[in-house]
Amino acid sequence: AHRDALDRKVQLEIEGFEVRRGVWLGDGAELDPDAVVRRPVYIGENTRVEGGVTLRDHTVLGKGVAVRSGAFLHRCVVHDYAYIGQSANLRGCVVGKSSDVMYGARLEEGVVVANECRIGEGAVLNPDVKVYPYKSVDSGAIVSQSIVWQSGGPRGLFGERGVAGLINIDITPEDALRLALAYASLFPKGSTVVASRDATRSARIIKRAMVAGINGGANDCDDLEVVPSPVARFYARSGRAVGGFSVQTPPLDPSSVEIRFFDERGLDIGASVQRQLERSYYRDDVRRAFHHDIGELNFPARGRDYYSRGLLETVDAAAIRERAPKLVVDFGWSATAITGTAILGRVGATVLAVNAALDEERVIAPQEQLDENLEALGKLVASSGADLGALLDQGGERLQLVDGSGSVLDGRTALLALLDLVSSAGEQARIALPVTTSRVAEEIVERNGGTVVWTQISPSALMSTADGGDVLFAGDENGGFIFPEFLATYDALMSLVKLMELLTVSNRSLQDVVAELPSAHVARRDVPTPWEAKGTVMRRMIERLGGQRVVTIDGVKTYRGEDWALVIPHPQEPLVRVWAEGESETAAAALAEEFAGLVEELKA
């Protein structure tokens, strides 16, 4: 019917403008000049087609459809408000109303996806497959039979970074409000929940919806507005709230949003609370306040002050003032500039502040821009004679360092440098590290009389271990460092101030510490693995390694002398990750390739 209409074989008045022969655009439709269009094609009102998209003949897009760059559509009918992700490939298929086809998914001839479905990243729907309403196809799945009775539901709300997804696609204000109602239902009426966000519009609209949900669930909300995540976490840890949430736009992805929930300790909520929250959300089993129970919205005037005072009471500010270090700090146009400049000034540091203003247009930068910023930071450190440089991420959680020579430290080197400083300053220090960390870390800690507590690789597992009471420091190789005496979660500003204190106490420079570090060589490989094969791979892996030294803290880790390989199924993606460490880069790469090949063999 659509094909006949486009070929004008029927008398039908097609709404919109025929901008050129055989190409119709509805009112408000946006067609990027770099999109390739072969007539006849219809693009409905308020639909957006990005550059790099290819629309071939007899494709019909309803109203409010979004088609991302790199997508290819030929003889497709896409109904209203559907989402077609980057590099998706659709041929001779139908996509129902409000359905989402994610990055790299492929829909073959005769496929019909009904209303309000979700086709995950990289999924393949073979010819003539039918997906009934409200179903979900997992990322990487290859579907050969129609999905009719299966639940097809999502694997869970929570991922590695809380509740995350595309703004107004995966996470809408309506979803956020329901999620906040479910979260409010976990606490007694009248409890106080703290809220915060970054400087982006996406985070602002989602946080506003969630504040309404908290109040509608009969709880008060203390809104700290635009602050780094650690500020809100400390607010809860100080006893002023029973928990809270932070809404952020993830690094490098301005089209997405993340919601991170934390408890009264400022730590990410655990798996049991996540499951409880998911059940309430999906079943709509939430508490809705009567008019006299509706919570209040407060804007605490001293939220940042509580954090600043707590941090300064934890470190030896007098010693830092005496040394008066000189720093170059890139605040990345984020809220860390407001808190960071004040704290660094109070500890007596001379700071050359870069990008130290709030700018929602520039706070989320592409990787190329971040690389340029780091390079510029290194040049500023070297030319100004600063002791070190630092780049803080927009959430105030992760830290990248530059030593006094202007050299940018990779995440592993930065972690090893902090381990050396912490373990040499504290007697018999207990250090928490993920199992993917180089053996060099353990050698450094044990050389200084300390011990390492190995944890699972998830940030929540590392935070939980750090909060155990006897851990002095925890960290990973991605710039996330934890000093539990202040806050058992990632905190870039606290890490920077503590680094200055440790350098002062040891009377060393960061450049000297780095120069004395031994080399570490770790390689990683990702092996695409269907969801249903992950369990088989891990079971067979343990059987294959029978008799060898195996550690199962997270995944399967086996040793060959001092070298090791670690195999872990990814919790959210259809792949298995392999880490390996060797005496050289070549040896580590070879061991990683060997175990990646073993995973390929075992999944067959």
Side-chain angles (χ1 to χ4, degrees), residues 94-111:
V94 176
V95 177
K97 182 178 179 181
S98 300
S99 286
D100 302 329
V101 180
M102 309 308 289
Y103 173 87
R106 193 167 83 237
L107 278 59
E108 300 289 3
E109 295 280 344
V111 166

Side-chain angles (χ1 to χ4, degrees), residues 233 237 265-268 429-434 451-456 458-476 480-491:
R233 291 175 183 268
R237 187 181 180 90
R265 301 168 297 167
L267 308 185
D268 288 352
R430 283 173 58 83
I431 309 293
L433 299 171
T451 56
V452 170
V453 181
W454 297 108
T455 77
Q456 296 177 342
S458 69
S460 59
L462 190 63
M463 293 177 194
S464 179
T465 304
D467 195 50
D470 59 350
V471 172
L472 190 62
F473 172 76
D476 62 27
F481 310 123
I482 300 172
F483 289 89
E485 60 179 324
F486 173 62
L487 187 63
T489 186
Y490 297 142
D491 188 340

Side-chain angles (χ1 to χ4, degrees), residues 226-228 304 308 331 334-343 356-358 493:
V226 182
V227 296
R304 294 189 184 93
S308 300
F331 292 101
S334 71
T336 56
I338 301 172
T339 308
T341 50
I343 289 177
L358 284 177
L493 187 57

Side-chain angles (χ1 to χ4, degrees), residues 5 26 55 170 224 237 253 265 284 319 371 382 387 392 405 435 555 564 573 591:
L55 298 180
D170 296 320
L224 301 186
R237 187 181 180 90
D253 188 5
R265 301 168 297 167
D284 201 26
D371 293 340
D387 296 299
L392 285 65
S405 69
V435 289
W564 55 263
E573 301 295 337
L591 190 57

Side-chain angles (χ1 to χ4, degrees), residues 240-264:
R240 295 176 174 87
V242 296
F245 61 88
S246 174
V247 185
Q248 300 177 15
T249 300
L252 312 178
D253 188 5
S255 63
S256 296
V257 69
E258 298 173 344
I259 304 170
R260 306 281 293 275
F261 290 97
F262 46 87
D263 59 21
E264 73 282 357

